[in-house]
Amino acid sequence: MSEQQPPKIEFPCENYPIKVLGEAGPDLHSYVIEIMERHAPGFDQTRITIKESSKGRYNSLTVWITATGVEQLTAIHEDLRINRSIKMVM
């Protein structure tokens, strides 16, 4: 059996979703916006969706950007993971 390869993304890729799961609070939202503005300036902040966990301890934010390449996506992931309140980036 051959190993399945992840799908190839053609860049630029409009409407690329990035989901961030972290501890609930205003700092999470502002930090995610700061990182996205750094790496995907001008992204549409009005499209950010926020879902609260059942107990309210965590928030899941989905941000839609125009992905320009693997380097950009790697940098976003690395910068988001620096923050200790962020538990997962997808």
Side-chain angles (χ1 to χ4, degrees):
M1 263 171 108
S2 64
E3 217 174 286
Q4 186 176 7
Q5 296 295 317
K8 302 266 187 231
I9 300 172
E10 291 186 31
F11 296 104
C13 180
E14 290 186 33
N15 297 313
Y16 186 88
I18 297 177
K19 184 175 275 194
V20 180
L21 177 67
E23 295 174 8
D27 293 342
L28 175 65
H29 187 255
S30 59
Y31 185 74
V32 169
I33 288 175
E34 175 188 329
I35 297 304
M36 294 303 163
E37 277 296 338
R38 182 181 310 153
H39 297 288
F43 79 101
D44 187 358
Q45 293 185 29
T46 64
R47 291 192 64 201
I48 296 173
T49 59
I50 303 171
K51 293 183 182 177
E52 191 174 295
S53 67
S54 61
K55 295 184 181 176
R57 184 170 176 203
Y58 297 99
N59 281 344
S60 170
L61 283 77
T62 303
V63 181
W64 302 86
I65 66 167
T66 297
T68 58
V70 174
E71 299 83 12
Q72 176 202 37
L73 297 176
T74 301
I76 289 171
H77 187 270
E78 289 173 355
D79 282 357
L80 288 170
R81 293 292 295 157
I82 289 171
N83 188 317
R84 290 181 168 261
S85 69
I86 293 176
K87 304 304 179 193
M88 189 181 312
V89 179
M90 298 179 274

